[in-house]
């Protein structure tokens, strides 16, 4: 039995099925392929269409899954969609009310049409199953936990009409629903409601976790206690909608994007994080006592709160905990497919050992073509096949910050050693350097330590609760004797979001860390996702080289090659042909009393649709000359002095922001 699971909405890059579709409408598009109960492939659409948290229909991801499985579209027996049909039609209905000129089509009609457009198949409509959202999440985490019994708890913004669902799982993939908590008690929405006060927006929740340890939760604890009640029998009430008004009336001045964080911001983040943890622990303890279950598996967006997961782990509340590494909505594509197969009598529950389920970066020969294509921007040297891990370890020991792309990409939001930026954790300046000049992000953001599994308890404090630590799902304490030795990965409160690496399931990355350990006596490297501030994690060798060219990385290690950015990119930029990113648009904005400002506007939310003004010459280059057909040199720009330098810098900035792409 071959099942394709999908998450996402019903639009594509070629044309929206509805104009101005909200970014929250079925975000984190993905596809997953399950064959006879076994997961063959799972890919997030953002890795391929290069739009963070994209809600486009997963055209590219679905095709990639079939390619990875060596299958044709005609081989698909069934398709699992990650929300219920009645609810999806209702959500579509609200969108149609906003757009009365658009044709009305049902969710089933739209899925059928998109599959035909994407894969060229005319699946009978009865081959498409709409799986309730929390069932998709719950089944995925229970199936991948390897438990024969235990609680499966889903916590997110909302499913259909619920924000939390508690299931009891048993042998054979059976899930019994014990209780749901309505959307008015959503912990995801509660957390999200406070983000504007901190200068953050949707999908920035992880930044709050990074900021919280710098603050004192007691400063605002009473404010949160006014809006949260813990009640008997695991019940609780939250009033997230009232938080903004409360803090504004209290005189809290919202932080503006780009401003430095203040003490009050850190205190607010600390109180918010502590409040979330209190509610989560209250709920989970009740259901442990109610059912007697000593194992729990988690999913849903709130399950990506690694600080709360770390508190659960340290509490000893359960004997065993599993957090799905793709707990966000992309992971529901996988859970929906697994659920559908189980309903048909095909169930294969084994502990998930890795999530390297995406496309491969390519062989040495494949990579060679990319490296040579980018030669105007980079210098390269070949390395002996099989020695890449040792070469990377040497570079890191020499103080270099490197990009590392190897093998099949990870499924989920964490870079786990196949698409990573790596550095020496002994150098405190590496934390500041990677934040400031490589990732160009907030200074308080922490980095994860990747540790050889056999040295885990030597470096970190791990309690008696069993949990796989392979997926960066838990924040734990670093042992005191190691904190001064690992300043680049130890957070201000002595904690770290740890990732263990073993030789069986992540062998090349394990060899890299072992090589660093042999050189330094330290079995840990700094690991963060391989991307810049404006893009998803890299997928291909071309993505990796593009990131190298637009950041301050010292080197990039790919199969068979070490690649470095050329010191002077001006000549390469002059002769490059720019094209607009698919999610960007050019428009003229007329302001009273001013000359018309020509601006490039990113329509996707992560840049806040912020308008970036461009010069008349770049406007001509991108519009009048036709995107993808002319370079600055073709317009007569030569040399890099005076005004020409400004044009080169302007184009480089647009490229760094991923508003345009440059083709060598």
């Amino acid at each position: 039995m071959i099942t394709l699971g999908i998450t996402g909405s019903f639009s594509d890059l070629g044309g929206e099925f509805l104009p101005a579709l909200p970014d929250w409408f079925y975000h984190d598009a993905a596809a997953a392929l399950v064959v006879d109960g076994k997961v063959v492939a799972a890919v997030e659409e953002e890795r391929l269409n290069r739009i963070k948290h994209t809600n486009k229909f997963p055209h590219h991801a679905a095709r990639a899954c079939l390619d990875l499985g060596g299958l044709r579209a005609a081989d698909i027996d069934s398709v699992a969609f990650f929300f219920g049909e009645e609810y999806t039609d209702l959500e579509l209905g609200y969108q149609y009310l906003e757009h009365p000129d658009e044709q009305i089509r049902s969710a089933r009609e739209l899925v059928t049409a998109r599959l035909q457009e994407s894969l060229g198949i005319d699946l009978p409509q009865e081959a498409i199953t709409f799986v309730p959202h929390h069932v998709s999440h719950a089944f995925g985490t229970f199936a991948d936990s390897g438990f024969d019994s235990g609680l499966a708890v889903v916590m997110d913004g909302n499913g259909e009409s619920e924000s939390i669902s508690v299931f009891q799982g048993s042998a054979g993939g059976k899930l019994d629903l014990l209780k749901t908590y309505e959307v008015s008690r959503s912990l995801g929405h509660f957390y999200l409601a406070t983000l504007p006060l901190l200068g953050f927006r949707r999908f920035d929740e992880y930044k709050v976790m990074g900021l919280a340890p710098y603050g004192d939760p007691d400063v605002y604890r009473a404010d949160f206690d006014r809006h949260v009640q813990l009640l008997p029998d695991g019940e609780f009430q939250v009033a997230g909608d009232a938080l903004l008004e409360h803090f504004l009336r209290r005189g809290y001045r919202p932080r503006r994007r780009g401003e430095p964080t203040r003490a009050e911001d850190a205190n607010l983040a600390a109180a918010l994080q502590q409040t979330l943890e209190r509610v989560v622990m209250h709920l989970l303890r009740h259901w442990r006592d109610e059912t007697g279950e000593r194992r729990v598996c988690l999913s849903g967006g709130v399950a990506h709160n690694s600080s709360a997961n770390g508190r659960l782990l340290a509490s000893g509340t359960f004997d065993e905990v599993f957090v799905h590494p793709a707990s966000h909505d992309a992971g529901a594509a996988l859970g929906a497919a697994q659920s559908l197969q189980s309903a048909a009598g095909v169930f294969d529950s084994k502990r998930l050992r890795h999530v390297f389920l995406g496309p491969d970066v390519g062989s040495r020969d494949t990579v060679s073509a990319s490296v040579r294509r980018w030669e105007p921007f980079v210098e390269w040297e070949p390395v002996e096949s099989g020695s890449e891990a040792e070469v990377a370890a040497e570079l890191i020991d020499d103080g270099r910050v490197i990009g590392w792309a190897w093998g099949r990409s990870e499924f989920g939001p964490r870079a786990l050693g196949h698409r990573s930026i790596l550095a020496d954790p002994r150098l405190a300046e590496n934390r500041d350097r990677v934040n400031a000049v490589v990732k160009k992000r907030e200074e308080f953001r922490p980095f994860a330590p990747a540790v050889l599994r056999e040295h885990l308890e030597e470096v970190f404090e791990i309690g008696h609760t069993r949990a796989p630590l392979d997926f960066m799902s838990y924040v734990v304490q670093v042992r005191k004797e190691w904190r001064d030795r690992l300043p680049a990965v130890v957070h201000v409160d002595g904690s770290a979001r740890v990732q263990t690496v073993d030789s069986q399931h992540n062998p090349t990355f394990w060899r890299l860390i072992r090589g660093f350990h042999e050189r330094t006596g330290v079995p840990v490297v700094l690991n963060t996702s391989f991307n810049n501030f404006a893009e998803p994690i890299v997928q291909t060798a071309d993505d990796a080289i593009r990131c190298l060219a637009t950041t301050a990385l010292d080197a990039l290690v790919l199969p068979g090659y070490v690649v470095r950015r050329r010191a002077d990119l001006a000549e390469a930029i002059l002769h490059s042909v720019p094209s607009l990113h698919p999610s960007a648009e050019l428009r003229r904005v007329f302001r009273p009393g001013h000359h018309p400002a020509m601006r490039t506007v990113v329509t996707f939310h992560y840049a806040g649709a912020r308008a970036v003004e461009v010069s008349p010459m770049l406007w001509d280059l991108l519009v009048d000359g036709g995107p993808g057909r002319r370079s600055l040199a073709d317009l007569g720009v030569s040399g890099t002095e005076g005004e020409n330098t400004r044009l080169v810098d302007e184009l480089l900035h647009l490229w760094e922001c991923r508003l345009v792409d440059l083709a060598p």
Side-chain angles (χ1 to χ4, degrees):
M1 181 178 181
I2 298 171
T3 300
L4 180 70
I6 52 176
T7 68
S9 74
F10 309 103
S11 57
D12 60 24
L13 292 176
E16 301 287 347
F17 84 104
L18 288 174
L21 191 69
D23 62 87
W24 51 260
F25 189 89
Y26 289 9
H27 53 81
D28 291 311
L33 187 66
V34 181
V35 179
D36 296 333
K38 299 183 185 302
V39 179
V40 172
V43 185
E44 293 188 69
E45 183 72 6
E46 69 166 28
R47 299 289 189 97
L48 304 176
N49 75 7
R50 310 307 299 157
I51 304 173
K52 293 172 76 172
H53 298 292
T54 185
N55 64 349
K56 309 298 184 184
F57 190 83
H59 299 274
H60 305 89
R63 289 194 292 267
C65 284
L66 290 172
D67 290 343
L68 289 165
L71 298 170
R72 301 168 303 144
D75 297 325
I76 296 172
D77 298 307
S78 55
V79 170
F81 190 77
F82 75 132
F83 261 100
E85 185 169 12
E86 182 178 351
Y87 176 82
T88 303
D89 280 332
L90 177 64
E91 287 296 301
L92 283 170
Y94 286 124
Q95 294 300 316
Y96 291 136
L97 290 177
E98 295 290 322
H99 304 287
D101 295 327
E102 301 297 324
Q103 177 187 359
I104 293 179
R105 288 183 289 177
S106 70
R108 189 172 293 272
E109 290 173 323
L110 286 167
V111 172
T112 303
R114 292 294 179 251
L115 288 169
Q116 202 286 326
E117 293 166 7
S118 303
L119 304 177
I121 54 172
D122 289 311
L123 271 179
Q125 291 195 1
E126 59 269 21
I128 301 168
T129 298
F130 289 77
V131 180
H133 189 58
H134 279 195
V135 172
S136 298
H137 276 310
F139 200 93
T141 192
F142 184 64
D144 288 339
S145 71
F147 299 162
D148 55 13
S149 64
L151 292 174
V153 181
V154 179
M155 297 177 284
D156 61 6
N158 64 278
E160 280 78 7
S161 61
E162 62 284 314
S163 64
I164 299 174
S165 296
V166 181
F167 298 83
Q168 189 167 23
S170 55
K174 184 180 179 184
L175 282 179
D176 293 318
L177 179 63
L178 302 179
K179 184 175 177 64
T180 62
Y181 297 76
E182 63 273 17
V183 174
S184 64
R185 292 193 276 177
S186 169
L187 296 181
H189 291 169
F190 180 78
Y191 210 83
L192 180 65
T194 314
L195 298 192
L197 294 170
L198 299 171
F200 303 143
R201 56 168 49 84
R202 185 185 299 274
F203 306 122
D204 284 346
E205 291 88 339
Y206 60 96
K207 296 182 182 181
V208 178
M209 288 187 287
L211 181 59
Y214 289 91
D216 178 358
D218 290 338
V219 173
Y220 292 120
R221 175 163 181 160
D223 297 272
F224 279 93
D225 285 349
R226 290 182 57 179
H227 297 88
V228 176
Q229 266 190 303
L230 300 184
L231 304 170
D233 301 322
E235 293 293 330
F236 66 93
Q237 294 292 337
V238 296
D241 291 345
L243 279 173
L244 287 181
E245 180 179 348
H246 170 83
F247 278 100
L248 290 173
R249 287 184 179 277
R250 195 187 191 279
Y252 192 99
R253 187 183 73 83
R255 171 180 169 264
R256 302 292 79 196
R257 181 170 51 182
E259 290 181 350
T261 53
R262 308 157 299 182
E264 55 263 42
D265 300 323
N267 294 335
L268 183 64
L272 174 60
Q273 178 63 33
Q274 184 186 78
T275 301
L276 176 80
E277 293 175 9
R278 286 171 51 219
V279 177
V280 168
M281 293 302 302
H282 174 72
L283 182 144
L284 293 179
R285 283 175 176 145
H286 166 74
W287 286 106
R288 176 204 60 188
D289 296 341
E290 181 74 14
T291 63
E293 293 287 359
R294 301 293 305 180
R295 292 183 285 195
V296 65
C297 49
L298 304 176
S299 190
V302 176
H304 276 315
N305 192 302
S306 52
S307 296
N309 296 342
R311 180 176 175 185
L312 174 63
L313 201 64
S315 72
T317 302
F318 293 90
D319 296 334
E320 197 164 2
V321 177
F322 177 80
V323 176
H324 201 282
S327 285
H328 59 319
D329 277 6
L334 182 53
Q338 291 169 306
S339 172
L340 187 55
Q341 292 226 336
S342 179
V346 182
F347 181 70
D348 182 21
S349 177
K350 293 180 181 177
R351 168 62 61 81
L352 185 68
R353 298 298 181 184
H354 70 83
V355 286
F356 304 122
L357 299 170
D360 200 296
V361 74
S363 65
R364 181 190 182 107
D365 290 341
T366 304
V367 168
S368 176
S370 294
V371 169
R372 294 172 191 279
R373 181 165 56 252
W374 284 93
E375 193 166 8
F377 290 89
V378 299
E379 301 171 330
W380 51 269
E381 59 184 271
V383 298
E384 184 178 347
S385 291
S387 68
E388 293 90 349
E390 290 72 24
V391 169
E394 181 179 359
L395 288 167
I396 296 168
D397 183 34
D398 286 342
R400 306 293 190 265
V401 178
I402 69 168
W404 167 262
W406 186 270
R408 293 181 65 175
S409 58
E410 303 92 337
F411 182 57
R414 313 295 189 210
L416 300 172
H418 281 203
R419 302 291 188 277
S420 293
I421 290 173
L422 306 173
D424 188 339
R426 301 171 299 168
L427 304 176
E429 59 266 28
N430 275 345
R431 177 187 59 231
D432 299 330
R433 182 187 169 202
V434 176
N435 269 331
V437 300
V438 176
K439 305 281 275 190
K440 295 186 179 179
R441 65 185 198 178
E442 297 86 356
E443 75 285 349
F444 60 81
R445 302 271 294 278
F447 294 105
V451 60
L452 297 173
R453 176 173 288 178
E454 53 269 34
H455 290 273
L456 171 65
E457 296 193 46
E458 174 190 345
V459 182
F460 301 95
E461 295 179 3
I462 306 299
H464 299 296
T465 303
R466 298 186 302 277
L469 302 178
D470 314 80
F471 307 122
M472 290 189 197
S473 296
Y474 307 90
V475 170
V476 302
Q477 287 294 304
V478 181
R479 293 192 180 276
K480 291 182 179 179
E481 61 270 26
W482 276 93
R483 291 178 186 176
D484 289 341
R485 299 181 66 182
L486 304 172
V489 294
V490 178
H491 209 17
V492 65
D493 60 351
S495 70
R497 191 182 68 195
V498 66
Q499 175 202 356
T500 56
V501 181
D502 70 60
S503 58
Q504 181 179 358
H505 301 103
N506 204 350
T508 306
F509 193 37
W510 181 86
R511 288 203 311 273
L512 187 159
I513 302 173
R514 184 188 64 176
F516 183 76
H517 180 225
E518 290 172 347
R519 289 172 168 273
T520 65
V522 174
V524 175
V525 298
L526 179 156
N527 178 19
T528 188
S529 58
F530 193 171
N531 59 332
N532 81 350
F533 65 94
E535 66 177 346
I537 299 173
V538 303
Q539 172 57 49
T540 65
D542 288 287
D543 294 336
I545 296 170
R546 185 180 289 107
C547 192
L548 171 71
T550 53
T551 63
L553 286 171
D554 294 312
L556 162 64
V557 181
L558 293 165
Y561 292 91
V562 174
V563 188
R564 293 178 175 84
R565 166 179 162 146
R566 291 189 183 274
D568 185 2
L569 298 183
E571 195 66 27
I573 292 172
L574 278 172
H575 290 87
S576 296
V577 178
S579 58
L580 279 177
H581 187 280
S583 69
E585 66 176 3
L586 280 167
R587 67 184 183 201
R588 292 186 183 273
V589 180
F590 293 91
R591 296 176 293 179
H594 295 79
H595 292 295
M598 284 71 79
R599 295 180 170 188
T600 304
V601 178
V602 176
T603 56
F604 186 58
H605 88 98
Y606 74 81
R610 182 186 295 178
V612 177
E613 189 169 335
V614 300
S615 64
M617 180 167 282
L618 282 189
W619 175 275
D620 292 341
L621 181 64
L622 294 170
V623 177
D624 298 338
R629 292 203 294 272
R630 293 204 295 177
S631 67
L632 284 174
D634 292 330
L635 293 179
V637 178
S638 61
T640 54
E641 296 181 357
E643 180 67 11
N644 293 349
T645 299
R646 195 187 68 78
L647 285 169
V648 168
D649 290 344
E650 183 182 359
L651 193 52
L652 176 59
H653 176 65
L654 291 174
W655 191 26
E656 289 173 342
C657 293
R658 298 300 186 258
L659 302 182
V660 303
D661 192 21
L662 297 185

